[in-house]
Amino acid sequence: RAKVTPAEFGEVFPADAFENLNESAGGAANVDLSRVVGKRPVVFYYWIAGNPFADETFTELQALADEVGPTKLVLYGVATERPGLGKDRIQERIRALKIHVPVLNDDGFKIGHRLHVRHVPSISVLDAEGRLRLANAGSLKQPLEYKMDVETAIRRVGTKGTLGTYGPMPRW
């Protein structure tokens, strides 16, 4: 297995293909990120199925992405299988939460490593050019700067396609 290096902030995010754990929502069995990265803003949500705060944040983030609109912003859930939390349990939780966006199976923690994931939940944002601007946010309410939180940043990137570089966020 090739070594995966963390993505650099402000640089274009490497786009690979991943298994979609949520093909039951009508999506493809595999998601090729190169079809979206660099064309529309992307939000990655790294999640542990069954964690109450992570589950709640996923539904809030999905509602926000729906409001902004799928033509302006793409949301991907990201999950990794672990002991006691296999594909079946993750898919069961996806259905229970009524998640309708693709959930990427991060086999080998490839996405997590690239996105600097240190804790879950973890929200990361790519701008319309595919550049990594923010990673490891733990909540939509996490402040970024005066009068701007993660939710406002996602709305901004969905509307304008651009966002300043915030880098890895401190633990929330």
Side-chain angles (χ1 to χ4, degrees):
R1 184 172 278 180
K3 186 175 190 282
V4 176
T5 57
E8 295 290 327
F9 289 93
E11 296 299 318
V12 174
F13 189 78
D16 296 318
F18 296 90
E19 176 188 13
N20 179 8
L21 294 171
N22 195 19
E23 65 179 303
S24 63
N30 290 292
V31 174
D32 183 352
L33 294 177
S34 69
R35 301 180 101 189
V36 176
V37 171
K39 295 166 181 62
R40 283 182 287 182
V42 173
V43 175
F44 291 107
Y45 180 65
Y46 218 100
W47 162 71
I48 293 178
N51 173 296
F53 181 68
D55 285 354
E56 179 184 340
T57 302
F58 201 170
T59 59
E60 290 172 353
L61 189 53
Q62 180 174 260
L64 174 60
D66 288 348
E67 186 182 322
V68 172
T71 61
K72 296 181 177 185
L73 179 84
V74 179
L75 170 63
Y76 292 111
V78 184
T80 189
E81 295 178 65
R82 53 180 11 140
L85 189 61
K87 188 184 300 188
D88 290 344
R89 291 212 38 227
I90 294 169
Q91 290 172 325
E92 180 181 298
R93 199 70 198 131
I94 289 168
R95 287 188 297 274
L97 294 172
K98 296 180 174 58
I99 300 300
H100 59 77
V101 299
V103 177
L104 309 178
N105 186 359
D106 191 16
D107 186 34
F109 200 63
K110 191 175 187 178
I111 299 170
H113 192 68
R114 285 194 174 139
L115 291 176
H116 308 259
V117 171
R118 296 185 305 264
H119 56 79
V120 174
S122 179
I123 302 167
S124 299
V125 179
L126 309 181
D127 66 13
E129 294 179 343
R131 297 179 188 284
L132 181 60
R133 297 300 182 181
L134 177 150
N136 229 29
S139 165
L140 289 173
K141 300 300 175 203
Q142 186 170 358
L144 297 177
E145 58 182 74
Y146 181 68
K147 292 190 177 185
M148 186 150 130
D149 57 16
V150 173
E151 179 179 348
T152 307
I154 291 171
R155 288 182 188 283
R156 178 178 290 176
V157 78
T159 304
K160 299 182 182 202
T162 61
L163 185 68
T165 300
Y166 291 91
M169 300 302 298
R171 186 158 176 90
W172 174 247

